[in-house]
């Protein structure tokens, strides 16, 4: 688990004055415990998956399909594992280089709070990435094209993450994953003979881009301002000087550094862990739709509200249909699917189709009594109707629909119920993602830690600089989690360290900053190209 390939910054076998000791190996007992937890987690996933399928009478999968499902889940968990040692190293760099915690203790501590962050996450971010994917691949994720999509986007993100890690560059796993999603969408559209735009929800993509663009600028500026504020308010010379030897900082600043490291780790788990959850749920929905396509944990008490809200939404859609006849449910699904591809939703036939889908959803739930009792044969059609309706409502304002305040309230309430019926995360998925992210934190962390601690600024990281960068990172990531925005822990924290170096007059190592900026700029085009190429090749394999 030790990172044997760390290249010292100040000569072979040396470390900078006041720098931490990173050469300690891992005790054999630690390796055994790591492997035991890893095996136990995978075993728990298999047992839980089979139990879920048996509970709803899902037909046993053929050996080939089960193997494909297992491989897809392993790759999804591998992405979270790589995310752990790539991104979370940023969280521990400040406490390690200020001697607030010993390196191995800091890594285990961060891994635990990553685990906790995943387990207590809301799930809001999980589907923010999924909505960027082409609607036809989401609805038919169990097809050959669906598996090609999953494998292509995950492998592309993993390859780029490992490449930047090999060079010790702090790079965003979120950035890489989003680029991979866009690459799959573009390749899917081009292979279908389109112009390459309808395969991606660009409005949603731009919202994500804004969050990714904002995060490093926010990290740099706010950390710099916070350091200057600290200098003005707390006039203690030792806080703004490099640590002397391996002496830990004063108790109060040490506590603050440990607290901020804890919060960054916790919020990183809550934000980044959800991206893997969303993709794992897509895989499960495709392979075992009866068990996972609908949220069968919804209480039966929600049924009356569900039926009433569906009827109210149907009336809103019908009033805008301008007399267009309501099609049958199957035709309505095709009409809305085509409209979502072209983003041409503000049309009477589309409103008539949405009205038909809302009526069909209400009738199905009423006839079967509750979401959890929908029979296997009807699961896929009902989920498709619910997903299509919710996605269409989300996009209607951008399509030019001038909804009144009352209509907006009705449709917002309805969308919430639809999402509750199709978007959920089983407990065992959370546990497995939490373990993958937490265990990944304990592997390969040294490369990125050395870069953040030694190679961004020209001087050693001071206590105040570490605290400022971590406080800004914790606050920004926490707010992003609250609003369901995928942001980059790496960008925020590494740019925060750079901001404190600039504000302190310490100077920046421009070669490192240039390489970080280059990786940031190249991540999207590189991930798009990798994912598009892999998707093209895998479409011919499946």
């Amino acid at each position: 688990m030790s990172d044997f390939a760390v290249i010292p910054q100040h000569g072979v076998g040396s470390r900078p004055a006041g720098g931490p000791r990173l050469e300690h190996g891992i005790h054999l007992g630690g390796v055994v415990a790591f492997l035991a937890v890893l095996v136990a987690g995978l075993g728990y996933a298999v047992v839980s998956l089979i139990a879920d399928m048996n509970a709803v009478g899902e037909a046993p999968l053929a050996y080939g399909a089960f193997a494909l499902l297992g491989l897809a889940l392993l790759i999804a968990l591998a992405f979270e594992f790589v995310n752990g040692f790539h991104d979370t190293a940023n969280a521990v760099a400040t406490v390690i280089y200020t001697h607030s915690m010993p390196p191995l203790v800091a890594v285990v501590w961060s891994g635990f709070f990553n685990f906790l962050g995943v387990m207590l996450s809301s799930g809001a971010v999980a589907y923010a990435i999924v909505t960027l994917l082409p609607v036809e691949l989401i609805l038919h994720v169990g097809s050959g094209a669906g598996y090609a999509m999953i494998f292509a986007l995950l492998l592309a993100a993993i390859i780029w993450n490992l490449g930047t890690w090999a060079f010790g560059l702090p790079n965003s796993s979120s950035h890489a994953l989003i680029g991979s999603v866009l690459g799959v969408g573009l390749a899917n559209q081009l292979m279908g003979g389109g112009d390459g735009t309808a395969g991606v929800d660009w409005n949603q993509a731009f919202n994500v881009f804004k969050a990714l663009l904002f995060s490093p600028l926010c990290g740099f500026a706010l950390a710099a301002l916070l350091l200057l504020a600290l200098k003005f308010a707390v006039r203690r010379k030792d806080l703004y000087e490099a640590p002397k030897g391996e002496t830990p900082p004063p108790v109060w600043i040490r506590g603050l550094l440990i607290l901020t490291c804890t919060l960054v780790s916790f919020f990183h788990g809550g934000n980044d862990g959800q991206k893997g959850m969303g993709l794992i749920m897509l895989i499960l929905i495709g392979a075992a739709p009866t068990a996972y396509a609908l949220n069968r944990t919804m209480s039966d008490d929600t049924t009356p509200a569900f039926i009433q809200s569906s009827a109210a939404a149907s009336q809103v859609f019908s009033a805008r249909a301008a007399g267009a006849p309501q099609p049958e449910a199957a035709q309505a699904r095709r009409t809305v699917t085509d409209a979502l591809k072209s983003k041409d939703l503000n049309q009477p036939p589309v409103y008539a189709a949405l009205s038909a889908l809302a009526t069909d959803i209400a009738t199905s739930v009423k006839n079967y009594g509750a979401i959890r009792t929908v029979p296997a044969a009807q699961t896929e059609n009902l989920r498709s109707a619910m997903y299509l309706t919710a996605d269409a409502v989300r996009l209607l304002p951008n399509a030019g629909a001038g909804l009144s305040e009352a209509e907006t309230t009705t449709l917002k309430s309805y969308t919430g119920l639809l999402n509750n019926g199709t978007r959920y995360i089983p407990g065992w998925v959370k546990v497995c993602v939490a373990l993958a992210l937490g265990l990944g934190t304990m592997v390969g962390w040294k490369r990125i830690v050395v870069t953040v601690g030694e190679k961004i600024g020209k001087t050693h990281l001071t206590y105040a600089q570490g605290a400022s960068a971590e406080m800004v990172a914790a606050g920004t990531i926490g707010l992003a989690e609250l609003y369901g925005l995928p942001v980059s822990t790496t960008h925020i924290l590494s740019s925060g360290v750079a901001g404190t170096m600039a504000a302190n007059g310490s100077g920046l190592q421009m070669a490192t900053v240039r390489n970080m900026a280059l990786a940031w700029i190249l991540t999207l085009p590189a991930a798009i190209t990798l994912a598009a190429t892999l998707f093209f090749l895998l479409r011919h394999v499946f």
Side-chain angles (χ1 to χ4, degrees):
M1 288 185 297
S2 60
D3 187 353
F4 57 86
V6 173
I7 301 174
Q9 176 72 4
H10 300 268
V12 177
S14 66
R15 61 190 177 95
R21 297 180 182 275
L22 301 176
E23 65 275 10
H24 293 300
I26 306 297
H27 191 274
L28 180 61
V31 177
V32 172
F34 179 94
L35 294 175
V37 172
L38 185 63
V39 171
L42 292 174
Y44 174 62
V46 172
V47 171
S48 299
L49 175 62
I50 294 173
D52 283 352
M53 293 172 63
N54 290 338
V56 297
E58 175 88 49
L61 297 176
Y63 290 120
F66 195 81
L68 199 61
L69 169 61
L71 180 60
L73 291 176
L74 280 176
I75 293 175
L77 292 173
F79 168 75
E80 289 298 342
F81 187 86
V82 172
N83 188 355
F85 71 70
H86 192 289
D87 284 23
T88 313
N90 293 277
V92 298
T94 54
V95 290
I96 290 175
Y97 272 85
T98 57
H99 305 297
S100 298
M101 298 179 83
L104 293 181
V105 174
V107 169
V108 173
W109 181 271
S110 179
F112 172 76
F113 281 97
N114 264 280
F115 176 92
L116 204 60
V118 177
M119 293 303 299
L120 298 178
S121 61
S122 65
V125 177
Y127 289 92
I129 299 292
V130 171
T131 54
L132 294 175
L133 291 165
V135 64
E136 68 271 20
L137 292 184
I138 294 175
L139 293 179
H140 303 102
V141 73
S143 64
Y147 274 108
M149 169 189 73
I150 292 294
F151 284 125
L153 66 90
L154 286 171
L155 288 173
I158 289 171
I159 290 169
W160 184 251
N161 278 347
L162 288 176
T164 52
W165 169 82
F167 288 97
L169 292 176
N171 179 66
S172 168
S173 295
S174 302
H175 213 164
L177 183 61
I178 290 165
S180 300
V181 168
L182 297 179
V184 166
L186 290 171
N188 178 67
Q189 183 63 19
L190 290 171
M191 290 177 72
D195 61 5
T197 58
V200 175
D201 181 352
W202 287 106
N203 287 321
Q204 181 76 353
F206 286 135
N207 287 334
V208 174
F209 290 159
K210 284 187 284 187
L212 288 174
L213 175 64
F214 176 73
S215 56
L217 299 177
C218 175
F220 186 95
L222 291 183
L225 290 173
L226 183 56
L227 179 67
L228 293 174
L230 275 175
K231 280 190 167 186
F232 178 78
V234 184
R235 300 181 181 277
R236 285 191 53 164
K237 187 178 179 182
D238 56 340
L239 296 183
Y240 310 104
E241 295 178 344
K244 294 177 174 61
E246 297 183 19
T247 305
V251 172
W252 72 272
I253 195 73
R254 186 180 190 182
L256 180 61
L257 284 161
I258 293 174
L259 174 63
T260 52
C261 167
T262 302
L263 291 174
V264 170
S265 300
F266 179 82
F267 289 134
H268 173 265
N271 196 285
D272 277 38
Q274 292 187 57
K275 296 156 192 169
M277 288 182 208
L279 294 173
I280 286 174
M281 288 311 299
L282 271 186
I283 296 167
L284 293 173
I285 288 167
T290 304
Y292 299 107
L294 296 175
N295 182 6
R296 297 183 183 276
T297 65
M298 284 185 72
S299 170
D300 293 359
D301 295 339
T302 62
T303 299
F306 202 97
I307 296 169
Q308 183 180 357
S309 186
S310 295
S314 180
Q315 290 178 0
V316 171
F317 296 136
S318 181
R320 290 176 165 267
Q326 283 194 13
E328 294 292 327
Q331 179 58 47
R333 289 194 295 272
R334 287 192 291 270
T335 299
V336 177
T337 299
D338 292 339
L340 287 170
K341 289 180 186 179
S342 64
K343 306 298 186 291
D344 190 17
L345 291 159
N346 192 28
Q347 300 293 335
V350 178
Y351 285 117
L354 287 171
S355 179
L357 288 182
T359 300
D360 183 60
I361 291 167
T363 302
S364 297
V365 175
K366 183 177 181 180
N367 290 342
Y368 301 128
I371 292 287
R372 66 177 183 83
T373 54
V374 174
Q378 299 302 318
T379 296
E380 189 170 353
N381 284 341
L382 182 57
R383 177 184 180 270
S384 294
M386 293 169 69
Y387 182 87
L388 289 169
T389 304
D391 211 35
V393 171
R394 179 177 64 85
L395 296 174
L396 276 176
N398 293 327
L403 300 172
S404 68
E405 185 177 344
E407 289 173 328
T408 300
T409 301
T410 297
L411 295 182
K412 183 178 180 181
S413 173
Y414 186 43
T415 303
L417 287 170
L418 292 175
N419 287 338
N420 287 340
T422 57
R423 298 181 177 185
Y424 79 108
I425 312 291
W428 69 267
V429 171
K430 278 193 172 186
V431 170
C432 291
V433 170
L435 285 175
L437 197 62
L439 293 176
T441 302
M442 304 175 195
V443 177
W445 48 273
K446 290 182 185 177
R447 285 181 182 271
I448 308 298
V449 164
V450 169
T451 296
V452 174
E454 298 178 24
K455 300 181 182 180
I456 293 178
K458 291 182 178 179
T459 61
H460 194 289
L461 192 71
T462 67
Y463 304 135
Q465 287 175 320
S468 298
E470 289 272 22
M471 287 170 69
V472 167
T476 307
I477 300 165
L479 286 173
E481 158 77 1
L482 182 65
Y483 288 101
L485 293 173
V487 295
S488 166
T489 302
T490 303
H491 287 163
I492 296 170
L493 194 65
S494 56
S495 62
V497 171
T500 62
M501 291 290 177
N504 201 44
S506 307
L508 296 170
Q509 295 194 42
M510 295 312 297
T512 301
V513 174
R514 185 173 58 251
N515 288 338
M516 287 168 56
L518 192 61
W520 180 64
I521 293 168
L522 290 179
T523 292
L524 271 181
I528 287 171
T529 304
L530 273 171
T533 304
L534 286 170
F535 181 75
F536 176 80
L537 296 173
L538 291 171
R539 282 292 284 115
H540 292 84
V541 172
F542 292 107

